Amino acid sequence: MSEAIELIPEASRLVTELPLEGQWDRPTPCREWSVRDLLNHLTAEHLWAPHLLRGESLEQVGSRYDGDVLGDDPMGAWRRAITASVLAWGQAPEREIQMSFGTSSTTEYAQQMLVDLTVHAWDLARAIGVRPHLMPDAVEAALAYEKPRVGAGEVPGIFAAPVTTESESRVDQLVALLGRDPEWTPPA
């Protein structure tokens, strides 16, 4: 099992424990997304994961997770999706996974999902005005995965351009690498 797969359950718990109820319209560091939009994105990703880990194709999954997947119970939808995803990751064989950009290994897919969980946990925490508590191991794994990719220019359209930071905080370095101002706070 890869380190990223082992870290996904705890990284997802950090999202689950955020007090998001009643904060759905608040802006996030992801310029186009509110708290609800961002949780919808994460939920949809984790609804897809069990299918892809079983070897299903994009065509087999189809458009069932397009649009609003949160319904009237956003946190309940998130909990159901992440529970199924974590269970699937725990049983995931190493294989080629069909992604929208081509194929990827299970290990590579896990690294991408860990980065997304870690950075979006920061985004959500900042959006609702709480101090982000990220797992140091997840931050280090995300930095190790993204630094070479960003340096090679491989992530346009996925994350904003890197932001300069002089901070020695590894969390600040990660979020800046992925286009976020470490000092971002929601507009007053």
Side-chain angles (χ1 to χ4, degrees):
M1 185 181 288
S2 78
E3 176 188 26
I5 291 172
E6 292 172 359
L7 293 172
I8 285 173
E10 183 66 16
S12 68
R13 185 184 63 75
L14 298 176
V15 172
T16 303
E17 291 180 351
L18 288 169
L20 301 177
E21 291 291 345
Q23 313 253 8
W24 305 121
D25 294 328
R26 293 182 63 89
T28 70
C30 301
R31 292 184 187 105
E32 304 298 317
W33 286 345
S34 67
V35 166
R36 183 182 172 93
D37 296 331
L38 186 47
L39 186 65
N40 190 72
H41 160 73
L42 283 172
T43 302
E45 282 192 335
H46 287 279
L47 287 168
W48 270 89
H51 298 281
L52 297 178
L53 293 169
R54 283 193 300 264
E56 291 180 41
S57 70
L58 300 177
E59 294 77 28
Q60 288 172 305
V61 179
S63 61
R64 72 181 85 169
Y65 302 126
D66 291 354
D68 179 22
V69 297
L70 298 178
D72 294 335
D73 182 14
M75 289 309 295
W78 163 252
R79 284 184 192 98
R80 288 185 297 277
I82 198 60
T83 298
S85 179
V86 166
L87 290 171
W89 282 108
Q91 302 170 7
E94 186 61 43
R95 67 164 36 136
E96 289 298 306
I97 308 241
Q98 184 186 12
M99 308 292 284
S100 59
F101 56 82
T103 59
S104 179
S105 69
T106 302
T107 299
E108 177 92 1
Y109 182 35
Q111 291 169 320
Q112 294 166 7
M113 293 292 270
L114 180 63
V115 168
D116 217 44
L117 277 168
T118 302
V119 172
H120 289 322
W122 183 89
D123 292 332
L124 289 167
R126 293 306 291 248
I128 63 170
V130 301
R131 185 171 181 264
H133 294 284
L134 303 181
M135 298 170 30
D137 290 346
V139 170
E140 291 304 321
L143 277 166
Y145 178 73
E146 290 295 348
K147 271 186 178 181
R149 292 169 32 97
V150 171
E154 290 184 25
V155 291
I158 295 175
F159 296 110
V163 173
T164 303
T165 184
E166 299 299 319
S167 174
E168 293 188 23
S169 160
R170 298 298 274 171
V171 171
D172 289 354
Q173 291 171 13
L174 174 63
V175 299
L177 180 69
L178 300 179
R180 287 135 171 91
D181 176 356
E183 300 301 318
W184 185 93
T185 57

